[in-house]
Amino acid sequence: MSNVAVIFRREVSGYFVTPVAYVVFAVFLVLSGYFFTMSLFATQTADMSITFGNMSVTLLFVAPVLTMKMLAEEGRQGTMELLLTSPASLTSIVVGKYLAAVFTFLVLLLVTALYPISLFWVSKPDLGPILSGYLGILLLGAACLAVGMFASSLTESQVVAGMLGFGLLLLFWVLGWASGNVTGVAGEVLGALSLLNRLDGFTRGIINGADVLYYLSFAFAFVFLTVRVVDARRWS
Amino acid sequence: MVGDDTHNLTIEVHNLTKVYVGGRPPAPGLRQKAVPDGEEPHTGRPAAAARGIYDLTFSVQKGEILGFLGPNGAGKTTTMRILTGYMPPTSGTARVAGFDIFEQPAEAKRRIGYLPEIPPLYPEMTVKAQLSFVADLKGVPRASRKAAIARVVEATNLGPVYNRLVKNLSRGYKQRVGLAQALLGDPEVLILDEPTVGLDPKQIIEIRQLIRSLGGKHTVILSSHILPEVSMVCERVAIINHGRLVGMDTPEGLARKLSHSQQLLVAIKGPQAQVEAQIASLPGMASWRPAEGEGAAQGATGAAGAGSRPAQTGPVLRYHLEAQPDVDLREPLFFQMARAGYPILEMRQVSLSLEDVFLQLTTEENTEPGDGQEGPKEGAQHV
């Protein structure tokens, strides 16, 4: 078994043998279920785009909560010493952990498939935007989880990691708002960096290669930074 | 055997130096010492005193058990963390099982079993899950995994808690799970940081026996600040203080090397005044004093004790003699007493116990050798 798979398995089981995954699932499902129902009542259309928008906001705190333990706790309880003195490379450790978080989030999204299924039960919604919307949420989630993991690598305290992750995500979130007020290149750069602006296309059924690449490279950048941070701490 | 077969050295360390950034405790996440969350480690020294290790050079033979001895904060854990690839050194090289730990870390780490100061366990996992995770991590093939786990569970006597959660285990059991996972994968080299801490006396004896039984097949480095443990378990001892290697030898050799002047315990039969006059006139004598009950109480002098039983004139007198530096008193003493007609019933060299060596090495390394004040105390070791 490759080292990434070994770490991945332990991490996933870590989510599901502790209450973490269940609490996060419960909160996310209650909130997104409420949003879904309310938007359905308000718009009277079999459409998921509003629900996706609301889900994306929920991600702001779901991602840090899912990842804040990831490296902070390994440092605190000393298990980082086990991982770093094992034959597994640092990159495979971090990647294995990251994939576990993404997988757990994917499971969560699969549970929310109940919403579109119920739509098909009562109506004939357009399947395309629903699938592309899910893809967008998954990509956004992957990006947010990478930020959360990065925050977790900076500290041994889960609370600090959670707060840092939330703050960083919120910052990337609101960058887009500034683009309206800041003129010129600066505004465009800020708008391009915003996590939120990219989601719109997906929820409208448009899969834009640039957007996919944006989320993937965003995630890659923060996974890479996490590896660098953990490695740098060994040298201190 | 993989790696260098040309020589018999499993671990080679050259000029290893580690200076922590700013000499401060390392960043959180890489605590130098085990301290509870939120507490600053107390080293008993000013914070400015740089921790780390300086210019360590040593080697360990295949199958040897080496003990690192030193006070807290001496650099034992740092050295072990470098040897296991947990942290890089500032300079110097370390080869483990034929592989440079920095050039080929994966190959070297595959051959190392490491038990850190705090056993690295996941509280929410069962012992079973923990061990199979570590087996996977170490690349134990799936086919032999079950047998490998069963073997270490038996060696560390973990059977009764095999299905329990790690967080519910006692300190002793956690320590044993840590040892079990270090043993997984049958590594050539075992590096054990304070392996008996937190165990009860019976467990300590078991673990020591286990470690001793590992020698020969495995190369073992263990650290301890418990001297009897090191002298009991280890074939060689490296004493580390303030990050420097201050002595390395067999426990006996170290003790011998440190007694700057010869210490003798003698039992002589004869009238007290004359015998003492003879002793005092002996050239090369630094100091002497009556040694009531010393040695005799050790019970190890059975032959001499039996020899003293036949009734002859005069009582048996016991003395503790200390020679001047680099003087061997035994021959002159023998001839002098033989000439005077007072038989020596017993004579043995007293070596320092490791405890004294340790104290001497780590507190007063720089004192003038052989300034025969306060003689070292006799230990239980017979030379």
Side-chain angles (χ1 to χ4, degrees):
Chain A
M1 227 187 344
S2 95
N3 290 323
V4 174
V6 173
I7 301 284
F8 174 86
R9 269 166 41 109
R10 202 218 72 79
E11 208 64 27
V12 170
S13 80
Y15 277 124
F16 289 97
V17 299
T18 60
V20 175
Y22 303 105
V23 171
V24 169
F25 278 28
V27 170
F28 187 84
L29 290 174
V30 166
L31 286 173
S32 61
Y34 174 81
F35 291 140
F36 172 70
T37 318
M38 286 304 130
S39 72
L40 208 56
F41 288 163
T43 62
Q44 300 286 325
T45 47
D47 176 45
M48 289 277 291
S49 61
I50 293 176
T51 309
F52 285 134
N54 291 325
M55 274 186 190
S56 68
V57 176
T58 319
L59 258 180
L60 273 180
F61 63 87
V62 164
V65 169
L66 271 181
T67 50
M68 64 187 194
K69 181 177 180 179
M70 205 165 255
L71 291 158
E73 190 69 1
E74 300 275 0
R76 202 189 59 78
Q77 71 197 10
T79 39
M80 195 55 122
E81 210 159 345
L82 171 69
L83 299 180
L84 289 181
T85 57
S86 77
S89 72
L90 179 54
T91 307
S92 63
I93 293 165
V94 170
V95 169
K97 282 175 163 288
Y98 174 67
L99 291 180
V102 173
F103 173 79
T104 306
F105 181 63
L106 179 64
V107 172
L108 176 55
L109 284 185
L110 288 178
V111 180
T112 67
L114 276 173
Y115 311 151
I117 287 171
S118 67
L119 281 184
F120 276 101
W121 198 16
V122 298
S123 173
K124 278 198 163 43
D126 192 354
L127 184 62
I130 291 176
L131 289 180
S132 68
Y134 266 114
L135 177 65
I137 287 287
L138 180 62
L139 287 169
L140 174 66
C144 292
L145 290 168
V147 174
M149 179 172 73
F150 169 70
S152 183
S153 72
L154 297 171
T155 171
E156 271 188 19
S157 158
Q158 291 193 43
V159 177
V160 172
M163 195 60 223
L164 272 178
F166 179 73
L168 272 173
L169 283 178
L170 195 59
L171 194 66
F172 277 107
W173 208 262
V174 300
L175 281 181
W177 301 352
S179 64
N181 307 329
V182 182
T183 51
V185 183
E188 275 179 43
V189 169
L190 288 177
L193 279 175
S194 166
L195 270 172
L196 190 59
N197 292 355
R198 304 274 177 173
L199 192 65
D200 294 345
F202 287 102
T203 59
R204 282 186 274 122
I206 304 158
I207 300 177
N208 183 345
D211 294 339
V212 174
L213 198 65
Y214 167 80
Y215 282 132
L216 289 180
S217 52
F218 193 95
F220 176 83
F222 276 95
V223 171
F224 175 76
L225 282 176
T226 307
V227 175
R228 298 317 307 157
V229 166
V230 176
D231 197 33
R233 296 178 129 218
R234 301 168 62 215
W235 290 83
S236 62
Chain B
M1 213 70 283
V2 200
D4 281 6
D5 258 347
T6 46
H7 47 54
N8 216 18
L9 299 177
T10 305
I11 297 170
E12 289 169 89
V13 172
H14 290 291
N15 308 105
L16 208 60
T17 296
K18 171 78 187 177
V19 181
Y20 288 106
V21 177
R24 287 178 292 111
L30 294 177
R31 289 157 305 163
Q32 154 84 345
K33 289 263 88 165
V35 286
D37 208 12
E39 251 182 70
E40 275 300 304
H42 297 285
T43 56
R45 277 180 284 129
R51 297 196 286 181
I53 54 173
Y54 306 95
D55 211 25
L56 286 193
T57 299
F58 63 91
S59 57
V60 190
Q61 301 227 319
K62 190 161 287 175
E64 194 177 18
I65 303 180
L66 174 72
F68 277 164
L69 195 57
N72 292 327
K76 305 185 296 271
T77 299
T78 302
T79 310
M80 290 184 151
R81 285 182 162 180
I82 292 172
L83 285 178
T84 53
Y86 180 59
M87 57 167 69
T90 308
S91 63
T93 59
R95 287 176 79 79
V96 178
F99 295 95
D100 190 302
I101 187 75
F102 323 109
E103 307 290 334
Q104 297 155 288
E107 289 302 313
K109 286 171 180 175
R110 222 181 290 285
R111 289 162 180 80
I112 300 173
Y114 176 38
L115 171 64
E117 209 168 355
I118 313 172
L121 309 172
Y122 292 96
E124 76 277 5
M125 285 171 100
T126 61
V127 174
K128 182 183 174 183
Q130 171 83 32
L131 290 179
S132 55
F133 166 63
V134 174
D136 285 341
L137 200 59
K138 290 186 166 187
V140 177
R142 291 228 116 184
S144 58
R145 201 179 67 169
K146 216 167 178 179
I149 292 175
R151 197 176 54 81
V152 298
V153 165
E154 208 204 310
T156 52
N157 214 350
L158 280 173
V161 296
Y162 189 53
N163 287 310
R164 284 175 53 187
L165 288 180
V166 166
K167 67 176 167 196
N168 296 332
L169 297 184
S170 66
R171 182 78 178 84
Y173 269 122
K174 281 182 185 164
Q175 192 72 23
R176 286 198 263 171
V177 179
L179 192 57
Q181 69 187 19
L183 291 172
L184 268 174
D186 209 17
E188 243 178 283
V189 175
L190 283 167
I191 296 184
L192 313 173
D193 202 349
E194 309 257 0
T196 57
V197 160
L199 303 181
D200 65 42
K202 186 168 162 280
Q203 294 166 341
I204 288 178
I205 292 168
E206 283 170 15
I207 293 294
R208 283 179 189 165
Q209 277 169 349
L210 177 63
I211 293 170
R212 238 181 325 204
S213 73
L214 294 169
K217 193 160 158 254
H218 304 262
T219 305
V220 184
I221 295 185
L222 67 88
S223 76
S224 181
H225 57 258
I226 307 165
L227 307 180
E229 172 167 292
V230 169
S231 57
M232 217 179 291
V233 177
C234 301
E235 288 147 19
R236 273 200 310 158
V237 184
I239 296 185
I240 299 177
N241 194 33
H242 296 299
R244 288 190 164 81
L245 192 65
V246 289
M248 183 151 172
D249 205 337
T250 59
E252 297 79 20
L254 213 49
R256 213 178 302 127
K257 201 181 287 175
L258 259 138
S259 49
H260 304 297
S261 51
Q262 189 182 41
Q263 313 270 322
L264 291 177
L265 204 58
V266 293
I268 300 168
K269 194 183 317 186
Q272 188 173 359
Q274 282 91 325
V275 168
E276 285 180 4
Q278 291 291 340
I279 290 174
S281 70
L282 205 64
M285 176 75 68
S287 70
W288 60 274
R289 58 188 162 87
E292 287 312 319
E294 289 183 53
Q298 310 276 349
T301 53
S308 69
R309 217 151 282 156
Q312 281 184 28
T313 49
V316 177
L317 304 164
R318 291 179 180 278
Y319 293 98
H320 180 267
L321 315 179
E322 187 177 345
Q324 283 164 7
D326 303 312
V327 173
D328 190 344
L329 275 180
R330 289 171 299 179
E331 283 185 29
L333 181 68
F334 169 80
F335 287 121
Q336 180 136 353
M337 289 302 164
R339 266 195 306 273
Y342 305 126
I344 297 174
L345 301 178
E346 185 189 342
M347 169 156 64
R348 66 185 163 88
Q349 287 199 76
V350 179
S351 71
L352 290 163
S353 78
L354 206 50
E355 211 113 8
D356 295 315
V357 175
F358 179 73
L359 275 178
Q360 204 162 340
L361 272 174
T362 56
T363 56
E364 289 303 321
E365 242 297 283
N366 297 326
T367 48
E368 298 291 312
D371 53 358
Q373 21 95 316
E374 263 273 46
K377 288 154 256 133
E378 295 80 16
Q381 287 177 4
H382 298 229
V383 173

